[in-house]
Amino acid sequence: MRAIVQKVTKASVTIGERCTGAIEKGMCVLLGISTKDTEKEIEWMANKLVKLRIFDNPETGKPWDADLLQCKLGILVVSQFTLQCVLKGNKPDFHGAMRAEDSEKMYNKFCEVLRSKIPNSDTLVQEGEFGAFMQVHIQNDGPVTIPIDSPESLAVQKVKPNKQNKQQQNNKQQKNIQNKNNKQQDKDTDSTEKAVEAVAEDLEKKL
């Protein structure tokens, strides 16, 4: 899962003349969902966004010292499958993006999880419209733009082999070695027999 996070003074999404979501000061997130993403990536990314310290501390004024929850700011989330693009020469390839039907479910789930973490989410959490042709209006503050990728370790489960699995692997390796040795012995035997036959034929001819 990939997110492009922008600190904004305001941001909104319109479809034609209709506005689907708008915030004042806060965070605009473009979200790209990959074929490997699961609910683990949703939970990880939602936690990362609400805890991301890109705002000034409201009490001390210290920059880069406060998150959305501390500042009680809004977040606008827009689905963008093109973030999973790879270039093949000069042509974009989007095979890494989750197909639309599944991606929409993941996007809706992501917004649901995000709302559960933010008080007053009905007002503070705004969305684009999945699958629509949108105009995204972003007034970047700074500018501040931060790309975030979920860790690959969430998608790849590394299973450590237990002792029984290791023993099975060792037995398989030993069996393969024995089979190779047996095949080599058979080849050596065949070569010896052929050599003996050749010598016998030569003797018969001389006699």
Short mmCIF file of all heavy atoms in Angstrom, two decimals, residues 88-113:
data_model
loop_
_atom_site.label_atom_id
_atom_site.label_comp_id
_atom_site.label_asym_id
_atom_site.label_seq_id
_atom_site.Cartn_x
_atom_site.Cartn_y
_atom_site.Cartn_z
N LYS A 88 7.33 0.56 -18.09
CA LYS A 88 7.95 -0.38 -19.03
C LYS A 88 8.36 0.45 -20.23
O LYS A 88 7.56 0.71 -21.12
CB LYS A 88 6.98 -1.49 -19.41
CG LYS A 88 6.67 -2.43 -18.25
CD LYS A 88 5.85 -3.63 -18.70
CE LYS A 88 5.67 -4.60 -17.55
NZ LYS A 88 4.88 -5.79 -17.95
N GLY A 89 9.63 0.87 -20.20
CA GLY A 89 10.07 1.85 -21.17
C GLY A 89 9.45 3.18 -20.79
O GLY A 89 9.65 3.69 -19.69
N ASN A 90 8.66 3.73 -21.69
CA ASN A 90 7.95 4.98 -21.41
C ASN A 90 6.46 4.77 -21.16
O ASN A 90 5.72 5.74 -21.00
CB ASN A 90 8.12 5.96 -22.58
CG ASN A 90 9.57 6.41 -22.72
OD1 ASN A 90 10.25 6.62 -21.74
ND2 ASN A 90 10.03 6.55 -23.96
N LYS A 91 6.03 3.49 -21.11
CA LYS A 91 4.61 3.20 -20.95
C LYS A 91 4.29 2.78 -19.52
O LYS A 91 4.93 1.88 -18.97
CB LYS A 91 4.20 2.08 -21.91
CG LYS A 91 2.71 1.77 -21.88
CD LYS A 91 2.36 0.69 -22.88
CE LYS A 91 0.87 0.39 -22.84
NZ LYS A 91 0.50 -0.67 -23.80
N PRO A 92 3.31 3.43 -18.89
CA PRO A 92 2.92 3.03 -17.53
C PRO A 92 2.24 1.66 -17.54
O PRO A 92 1.45 1.35 -18.43
CB PRO A 92 1.91 4.12 -17.11
CG PRO A 92 2.11 5.24 -18.07
CD PRO A 92 2.56 4.61 -19.34
N ASP A 93 2.57 0.86 -16.54
CA ASP A 93 1.96 -0.46 -16.37
C ASP A 93 1.32 -0.52 -14.99
O ASP A 93 1.97 -0.23 -13.98
CB ASP A 93 3.02 -1.55 -16.51
CG ASP A 93 2.43 -2.95 -16.46
OD1 ASP A 93 1.97 -3.34 -15.37
OD2 ASP A 93 2.44 -3.66 -17.47
N PHE A 94 0.05 -0.92 -14.95
CA PHE A 94 -0.70 -0.87 -13.69
C PHE A 94 -1.07 -2.25 -13.15
O PHE A 94 -2.01 -2.38 -12.37
CB PHE A 94 -1.98 -0.03 -13.87
CG PHE A 94 -1.73 1.36 -14.37
CD1 PHE A 94 -2.11 1.74 -15.64
CD2 PHE A 94 -1.09 2.29 -13.56
CE1 PHE A 94 -1.88 3.02 -16.10
CE2 PHE A 94 -0.86 3.58 -14.00
CZ PHE A 94 -1.25 3.95 -15.27
N HIS A 95 -0.33 -3.28 -13.57
CA HIS A 95 -0.65 -4.64 -13.12
C HIS A 95 -0.45 -4.82 -11.61
O HIS A 95 -0.98 -5.76 -11.02
CB HIS A 95 0.19 -5.67 -13.89
CG HIS A 95 -0.31 -5.90 -15.28
ND1 HIS A 95 0.17 -5.19 -16.36
CD2 HIS A 95 -1.25 -6.74 -15.76
CE1 HIS A 95 -0.46 -5.59 -17.46
NE2 HIS A 95 -1.33 -6.53 -17.13
N GLY A 96 0.33 -3.92 -11.00
CA GLY A 96 0.55 -4.01 -9.55
C GLY A 96 -0.62 -3.50 -8.73
O GLY A 96 -0.68 -3.74 -7.52
N ALA A 97 -1.56 -2.83 -9.38
CA ALA A 97 -2.73 -2.29 -8.68
C ALA A 97 -3.80 -3.37 -8.53
O ALA A 97 -4.02 -4.17 -9.44
CB ALA A 97 -3.30 -1.09 -9.43
N MET A 98 -4.44 -3.39 -7.39
CA MET A 98 -5.53 -4.35 -7.16
C MET A 98 -6.68 -4.04 -8.10
O MET A 98 -6.98 -2.88 -8.39
CB MET A 98 -5.98 -4.27 -5.70
CG MET A 98 -7.02 -5.29 -5.29
SD MET A 98 -7.44 -5.20 -3.51
CE MET A 98 -5.95 -5.86 -2.79
N ARG A 99 -7.34 -5.08 -8.60
CA ARG A 99 -8.45 -4.87 -9.52
C ARG A 99 -9.56 -4.08 -8.83
O ARG A 99 -9.74 -4.14 -7.61
CB ARG A 99 -8.98 -6.20 -10.05
CG ARG A 99 -9.58 -7.11 -9.00
CD ARG A 99 -10.09 -8.38 -9.64
NE ARG A 99 -10.81 -9.21 -8.69
CZ ARG A 99 -11.45 -10.32 -9.01
NH1 ARG A 99 -11.44 -10.73 -10.27
NH2 ARG A 99 -12.08 -11.02 -8.08
N ALA A 100 -10.33 -3.35 -9.63
CA ALA A 100 -11.25 -2.35 -9.11
C ALA A 100 -12.25 -2.91 -8.10
O ALA A 100 -12.50 -2.30 -7.05
CB ALA A 100 -12.00 -1.69 -10.26
N GLU A 101 -12.84 -4.07 -8.38
CA GLU A 101 -13.87 -4.62 -7.50
C GLU A 101 -13.33 -4.86 -6.09
O GLU A 101 -13.96 -4.51 -5.09
CB GLU A 101 -14.41 -5.92 -8.08
CG GLU A 101 -15.50 -6.57 -7.24
CD GLU A 101 -16.00 -7.87 -7.84
OE1 GLU A 101 -15.64 -8.18 -9.00
OE2 GLU A 101 -16.76 -8.57 -7.15
N ASP A 102 -12.14 -5.46 -6.01
CA ASP A 102 -11.53 -5.75 -4.71
C ASP A 102 -10.96 -4.48 -4.08
O ASP A 102 -11.02 -4.30 -2.86
CB ASP A 102 -10.43 -6.80 -4.86
CG ASP A 102 -10.97 -8.13 -5.32
OD1 ASP A 102 -12.13 -8.45 -4.97
OD2 ASP A 102 -10.27 -8.86 -6.04
N SER A 103 -10.40 -3.62 -4.91
CA SER A 103 -9.80 -2.39 -4.41
C SER A 103 -10.84 -1.47 -3.76
O SER A 103 -10.56 -0.82 -2.75
CB SER A 103 -9.09 -1.65 -5.55
OG SER A 103 -8.44 -0.50 -5.09
N GLU A 104 -12.04 -1.43 -4.32
CA GLU A 104 -13.09 -0.59 -3.74
C GLU A 104 -13.44 -1.06 -2.33
O GLU A 104 -13.63 -0.25 -1.42
CB GLU A 104 -14.33 -0.61 -4.62
CG GLU A 104 -15.43 0.30 -4.12
CD GLU A 104 -16.60 0.39 -5.07
OE1 GLU A 104 -16.65 -0.38 -6.05
OE2 GLU A 104 -17.48 1.25 -4.83
N LYS A 105 -13.50 -2.37 -2.13
CA LYS A 105 -13.78 -2.91 -0.80
C LYS A 105 -12.66 -2.53 0.18
O LYS A 105 -12.92 -2.17 1.33
CB LYS A 105 -13.93 -4.42 -0.87
CG LYS A 105 -15.13 -4.89 -1.66
CD LYS A 105 -15.15 -6.41 -1.75
CE LYS A 105 -16.32 -6.89 -2.62
NZ LYS A 105 -16.34 -8.35 -2.77
N MET A 106 -11.42 -2.63 -0.29
CA MET A 106 -10.27 -2.28 0.56
C MET A 106 -10.28 -0.79 0.89
O MET A 106 -10.00 -0.39 2.03
CB MET A 106 -8.97 -2.66 -0.14
CG MET A 106 -8.73 -4.16 -0.26
SD MET A 106 -8.22 -4.89 1.32
CE MET A 106 -6.53 -4.31 1.38
N TYR A 107 -10.60 0.03 -0.10
CA TYR A 107 -10.65 1.48 0.11
C TYR A 107 -11.72 1.84 1.14
O TYR A 107 -11.48 2.64 2.06
CB TYR A 107 -10.92 2.19 -1.22
CG TYR A 107 -11.18 3.66 -1.10
CD1 TYR A 107 -10.14 4.55 -0.85
CD2 TYR A 107 -12.48 4.17 -1.21
CE1 TYR A 107 -10.38 5.91 -0.73
CE2 TYR A 107 -12.72 5.53 -1.09
CZ TYR A 107 -11.67 6.39 -0.85
OH TYR A 107 -11.92 7.73 -0.73
N ASN A 108 -12.90 1.26 0.99
CA ASN A 108 -13.99 1.52 1.94
C ASN A 108 -13.61 1.05 3.34
O ASN A 108 -13.91 1.72 4.34
CB ASN A 108 -15.27 0.84 1.48
CG ASN A 108 -15.85 1.47 0.24
OD1 ASN A 108 -15.61 2.64 -0.04
ND2 ASN A 108 -16.62 0.71 -0.52
N LYS A 109 -12.94 -0.09 3.42
CA LYS A 109 -12.49 -0.61 4.71
C LYS A 109 -11.46 0.31 5.33
O LYS A 109 -11.47 0.57 6.55
CB LYS A 109 -11.92 -2.02 4.55
CG LYS A 109 -11.44 -2.66 5.84
CD LYS A 109 -12.59 -2.91 6.80
CE LYS A 109 -12.11 -3.63 8.04
NZ LYS A 109 -13.22 -3.86 9.01
N PHE A 110 -10.55 0.83 4.50
CA PHE A 110 -9.52 1.76 4.99
C PHE A 110 -10.17 3.00 5.60
O PHE A 110 -9.80 3.43 6.69
CB PHE A 110 -8.59 2.16 3.85
CG PHE A 110 -7.56 3.17 4.25
CD1 PHE A 110 -6.38 2.77 4.86
CD2 PHE A 110 -7.77 4.52 4.04
CE1 PHE A 110 -5.44 3.70 5.26
CE2 PHE A 110 -6.83 5.46 4.43
CZ PHE A 110 -5.67 5.04 5.04
N CYS A 111 -11.15 3.57 4.90
CA CYS A 111 -11.82 4.77 5.41
C CYS A 111 -12.58 4.45 6.70
O CYS A 111 -12.63 5.28 7.61
CB CYS A 111 -12.76 5.32 4.35
SG CYS A 111 -11.90 6.00 2.90
N GLU A 112 -13.15 3.27 6.77
CA GLU A 112 -13.86 2.86 7.99
C GLU A 112 -12.91 2.77 9.18
O GLU A 112 -13.21 3.24 10.28
CB GLU A 112 -14.52 1.49 7.74
CG GLU A 112 -15.26 0.92 8.93
CD GLU A 112 -15.77 -0.48 8.66
OE1 GLU A 112 -16.11 -0.79 7.49
OE2 GLU A 112 -15.83 -1.29 9.61
N VAL A 113 -11.74 2.14 8.95
CA VAL A 113 -10.74 2.02 10.01
C VAL A 113 -10.23 3.39 10.42
O VAL A 113 -10.04 3.69 11.61
CB VAL A 113 -9.57 1.11 9.56
CG1 VAL A 113 -8.42 1.15 10.56
CG2 VAL A 113 -10.05 -0.32 9.38
#
